[in-house]
């Protein structure tokens, strides 16, 4: 059974930093790429970042480029999202997710990741 478990969310002030972790287990193939998406109340879901499994390339939605960095520790089966220079508009529930291809930016309402975690709340106070 595939499991994605997020941790590391919380409350942070504007300009602060948070690191999210995602522990992955149960994958039986290398066909999936792991990324993060977020959902804020009243907003469209947004693909935040993705790490392409085949070559380690990373992709980010425009609003977080230069501020967020995704990395992985294969020995621990864990991926991270380092979020710096946080803004109030970054407030959302952040989900770790896996899919056959990388996707960033606004997500169509009918799109569903192959696998996703339960999410972790990040709140940026102004």
């Amino acid at each position: 059974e595939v499991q994605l478990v997020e941790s590391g969310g919380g409350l942070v002030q504007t300009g602060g930093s948070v690191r999210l972790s995602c522990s992955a287990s149960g994958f039986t193939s290398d066909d999936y790429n792991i990324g993060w998406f977020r959902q804020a109340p009243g907003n469209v879901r947004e693909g935040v970042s993705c790490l392409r499994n085949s070559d380690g390339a990373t992709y980010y939605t425009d609003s977080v480029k230069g501020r967020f960095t995704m990395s992985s520790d294969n020995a621990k089966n864990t991926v991270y999202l380092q979020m710096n220079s946080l803004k109030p508009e970054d407030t959302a529930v952040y989900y770790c997710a896996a899919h056959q291809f990388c996707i960033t930016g606004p997500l169509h309402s009918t799109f569903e990741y192959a696998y996703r975690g339960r999410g972790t709340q990040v709140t940026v106070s102004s």
Side-chain angles (χ1 to χ4, degrees), residues 93-110:
V93 178
Y94 284 74
Y95 298 87
C96 179
H99 204 66
Q100 292 90 337
F101 54 84
C102 275
I103 183 169
T104 58
L107 302 176
H108 193 276
S109 61
T110 62

Side-chain angles (χ1 to χ4, degrees), residues 5-12 17-23 36 78-83 86 92 94 96 119-123:
V5 181
E6 306 94 337
S7 61
L11 175 65
V12 63
S17 298
V18 167
R19 188 177 81 159
L20 304 182
S21 300
C22 173
S23 176
W36 296 87
T78 300
V79 297
Y80 305 96
L81 184 66
Q82 178 67 44
M83 305 190 295
L86 284 162
Y94 284 74
C96 179
T120 185
Q121 176 72 46
V122 175
T123 302

Side-chain angles (χ1 to χ4, degrees), residues 6 13 20 27 39-40 48 56 65 77 84 86-87 101 104:
E6 306 94 337
Q13 292 184 333
L20 304 182
F27 287 97
Q39 173 86 73
V48 174
K65 285 179 180 177
N77 292 323
N84 298 330
L86 284 162
K87 306 174 182 180
F101 54 84
T104 58

Side-chain angles (χ1 to χ4, degrees), residues 34-123:
I34 290 184
W36 296 87
F37 75 94
R38 63 187 178 185
Q39 173 86 73
N43 287 9
V44 173
R45 292 175 305 155
E46 181 181 33
V48 174
S49 67
C50 182
L51 189 152
R52 191 165 62 189
N53 191 51
S54 61
D55 61 2
T58 51
Y59 302 90
Y60 302 93
T61 191
D62 286 346
S63 62
V64 308
K65 285 179 180 177
R67 300 189 298 123
F68 291 11
T69 303
M70 192 172 172
S71 62
S72 66
D73 183 335
N74 293 334
K76 295 182 179 180
N77 292 323
T78 300
V79 297
Y80 305 96
L81 184 66
Q82 178 67 44
M83 305 190 295
N84 298 330
S85 302
L86 284 162
K87 306 174 182 180
E89 51 264 43
D90 294 317
T91 295
V93 178
Y94 284 74
Y95 298 87
C96 179
H99 204 66
Q100 292 90 337
F101 54 84
C102 275
I103 183 169
T104 58
L107 302 176
H108 193 276
S109 61
T110 62
F111 174 80
E112 292 295 342
Y113 285 89
Y115 302 100
R116 53 178 278 180
R118 293 187 174 185
T120 185
Q121 176 72 46
V122 175
T123 302

